[in-house]
Amino acid sequence: MGSRGVIFEHIYPATGRPNGTVELAGAAEIDNAVRAAAKAQREWVALTVDRRRDLLIGLADVVHEHLDELAKLNVADYGVPISFAGTAMLLERFLRHFAGYADKPHGVTTPVNGSFDINLVEREPYGVVGVITPWNGALVVTGSCVAPALAAGNAVVLKPSELAPFAALRFGELCLEAGLPEGLVTVVPADAEGGDALVRHPGIGKIGFTGGGGTARKVLQAAATNLTPVVTELGGKSANLIFADADLDLAAALSAHQGPLMQSGQSCACASRILVHDEVYDEFLEKFLGVIGSARIGDPMDPATTFGPVISQAAADRILAAVDAAVSSGAGELLLGGKRIRDDRLSGDLAEGYYVEPTVFGGVDNASDIAQLETFGPVVSLMRFRAEDEAVAIANDTPYGLNAFVQTTDLNRAHRVARQLESGSVWINQFSDISPQGPYGGYKQSGAGRTGGVEGLNEFQQVKNIRIAVR
């Protein structure tokens, strides 16, 4: 039993029934984890770089052997259909990619004006990094933050959300099975109290946080206690621009997947604002609704299921309240959905699950709450535009800037529009296919810093300048 004596009962979103329990860490457990991590980090950096590289590759191998298990734990965590639960593969890819950085040059030498001195610019680890993952993508964020942190020479204290603890806990076990030093990766499920203790701990060198803007503000305030630097990946209200020359069948499929269907819209990458050229609006809408209508709603463990529940009763209530407010305010026309699913589409244990219909509004005012506030559910807004500059202006008219999507067959337009969109990532004729080679992060209120790519590695290193006099 933890020092707080708090046991969290996890509810399986697909049935609304208890799924297991987990002890929640408090300040004492966080302190123990940070102290163990500091000891392990000293052991870690004492290893040769080729040994660290091989251990990380070995961890990727172990993860590969348990992909099916981790995918099922993802489903148990938050009810994501197993057809979309392959994020364990991304965890493996991030580990393999960043393992290759462990033995590569991290520093440079530079000339110095008026001197023949040797000027070294080194990159060193922070020591112990705290990583706070969201419930809707724990394994992806584990890969994108833990892998580069370890490759850079750090130890990690990983705090998964209490709403999705199981896959993260298993990952912690796999780290030990792979032979990593005990304490190098410590997984401590916790709620806000434990998270606050982690962020405020003086032994933490940097924080990696993925989540909502409201929580991010609390994290940043707590981190200010010790002036601890924080890299954040936050929310989004992404625009998806459908031009008249687009392949409308492809655009409809991508828009449905990236909009209300994937993770039931519970994704910071959700393309919830769909901007369609007036010439093809009606044709696109017909195809788009057809794709949504063909979605298979059901048991998340069934490989045929493509649409699952939202995370909790509270989330369902919040999403439906936003839909009702949009209808009552006249923000747009409700074209599809807008209700809790409690009919013959679900039976047995699933009848009490937190399923909300894929919901589509048409003719939405971009200034309305449904277009500006992150719903974090299967709700999308369609808007018309007549000119390219109008589409770009609408897309950028939001406080967020995580992702943007463009559907066009005109290469010139693709380049031109992508450079005008105020977004950390722009995806042309495809969904948000995150990879370890590409930096991922946001503009504006969608976060600061990047995960992935060499930029992601650099987030977990601090720079030191060493100058050696040459007489």
Side-chain angles (χ1 to χ4, degrees):
M1 179 71 68
S3 62
R4 294 173 59 197
V6 176
I7 300 294
F8 179 78
E9 184 177 60
H10 184 274
I11 302 298
Y12 183 41
T15 64
R17 297 180 179 178
N19 197 31
T21 60
V22 62
E23 295 182 19
L24 298 185
E29 288 75 30
I30 294 296
D31 183 61
N32 289 337
V34 174
R35 291 177 183 276
K39 178 178 180 295
Q41 193 268 337
R42 291 191 291 271
E43 298 176 23
W44 184 239
V45 294
L47 297 175
T48 58
V49 290
D50 54 324
R51 179 61 179 149
R52 279 187 265 155
R53 176 203 63 207
D54 291 347
L55 282 168
L56 289 178
I57 292 173
L59 176 57
D61 290 339
V62 171
V63 167
H64 180 79
E65 293 168 2
H66 293 83
L67 287 180
D68 289 344
E69 178 190 3
L70 290 169
K72 290 175 181 177
L73 287 172
N74 247 346
V75 178
D77 272 331
Y78 67 106
V80 61
I82 200 161
S83 57
F84 292 155
T87 52
M89 291 187 290
L90 267 177
L91 169 60
E92 178 192 348
R93 290 172 188 165
F94 273 102
L95 287 168
R96 291 197 191 283
H97 177 77
F98 282 106
Y101 276 114
D103 63 345
K104 303 301 184 295
H106 291 178
V108 297
T109 60
T110 67
V112 182
N113 288 344
S115 171
F116 293 102
D117 288 356
I118 298 172
N119 196 50
L120 305 176
V121 181
E122 297 276 350
R123 290 187 175 273
E124 298 182 345
Y126 280 92
V128 181
V129 170
V131 174
I132 300 175
T133 62
W135 56 261
N136 67 318
L139 288 181
V140 176
V141 177
T142 296
S144 66
C145 287
V146 174
L150 294 177
N154 301 282
V156 176
V157 176
L158 173 64
K159 189 207 86 66
S161 168
E162 70 274 24
L163 297 177
F166 302 121
L169 284 167
R170 184 62 180 131
F171 172 71
E173 294 174 347
L174 295 179
C175 289
L176 293 176
E177 292 179 24
L180 269 63
E182 184 176 355
L184 189 69
V185 178
T186 304
V187 181
V188 281
D191 55 13
E193 181 177 329
D196 184 74
L198 177 64
V199 174
R200 293 180 186 275
H201 198 288
I204 293 293
K206 189 162 188 177
I207 291 288
F209 172 80
T210 301
T215 304
R217 290 180 177 87
K218 296 177 182 177
V219 168
L220 292 169
Q221 290 170 357
T225 302
N226 297 304
L227 299 178
T228 306
V230 183
V231 54
T232 58
E233 192 259 279
L234 308 177
K237 197 68 179 178
S238 301
N240 183 7
L241 284 61
I242 316 295
F243 287 95
D245 58 63
D247 178 335
L248 294 185
D249 290 316
L250 176 62
L254 289 172
S255 299
H257 173 80
Q258 193 67 51
L261 298 185
M262 184 177 67
Q263 297 189 177
S264 300
Q266 299 172 117
S267 167
C268 55
C270 179
S272 55
R273 294 184 302 141
I274 304 174
L275 284 55
V276 188
H277 194 282
D278 191 63
E279 290 181 9
V280 295
Y281 184 92
D282 293 335
E283 183 181 358
F284 170 81
L285 177 60
E286 181 180 359
K287 293 177 183 292
F288 178 61
L289 296 180
V291 175
I292 295 175
S294 67
R296 174 78 175 270
I297 301 170
D299 182 358
M301 282 293 186
D302 183 347
T305 297
T306 57
F307 185 81
V310 298
I311 185 64
S312 65
Q313 179 67 55
D317 292 343
R318 172 183 50 76
I319 293 163
L320 293 174
V323 170
D324 290 343
V327 171
S328 62
S329 68
E333 179 186 0
L334 182 61
L335 302 176
L336 183 73
K339 298 183 179 64
R340 182 85 174 261
I341 301 176
R342 293 187 180 278
D343 54 29
D344 57 4
R345 286 173 287 181
L346 298 170
S347 60
D349 291 345
L350 302 178
E352 297 304 316
Y354 309 127
Y355 290 82
V356 175
E357 292 177 325
T359 301
V360 179
F361 282 92
V364 172
D365 178 0
N366 192 55
S368 64
D369 284 350
I370 201 68
Q372 289 293 315
L373 302 180
E374 190 175 31
T375 309
F376 223 68
V379 182
V380 296
S381 302
L382 268 65
M383 311 171 196
R384 296 177 184 260
F385 69 86
R386 292 179 175 80
E388 183 179 297
D389 58 351
E390 179 189 8
V392 171
I394 295 171
N396 289 338
D397 186 15
T398 170
Y400 297 104
L402 186 60
N403 288 278
F405 303 83
V406 179
Q407 317 297 329
T408 181
T409 55
D410 184 333
L411 183 61
N412 287 325
R413 170 178 283 132
H415 281 285
R416 186 170 59 243
V417 171
R419 283 167 172 75
Q420 296 178 71
L421 292 170
E422 298 168 355
S423 175
S425 296
V426 180
W427 310 89
I428 311 294
N429 298 329
Q430 67 174 46
F431 58 90
S432 58
D433 186 17
I434 296 173
S435 70
Q437 293 81 12
Y440 189 74
Y443 285 14
K444 299 187 281 191
Q445 292 186 25
S446 287
R450 294 294 182 270
T451 59
V454 68
E455 293 84 359
L457 180 73
N458 291 343
E459 290 289 351
F460 297 101
Q461 297 175 315
Q462 48 193 342
V463 177
K464 176 182 287 184
N465 188 201
I466 302 172
R467 183 163 164 176
I468 303 172
V470 176
R471 305 300 182 193

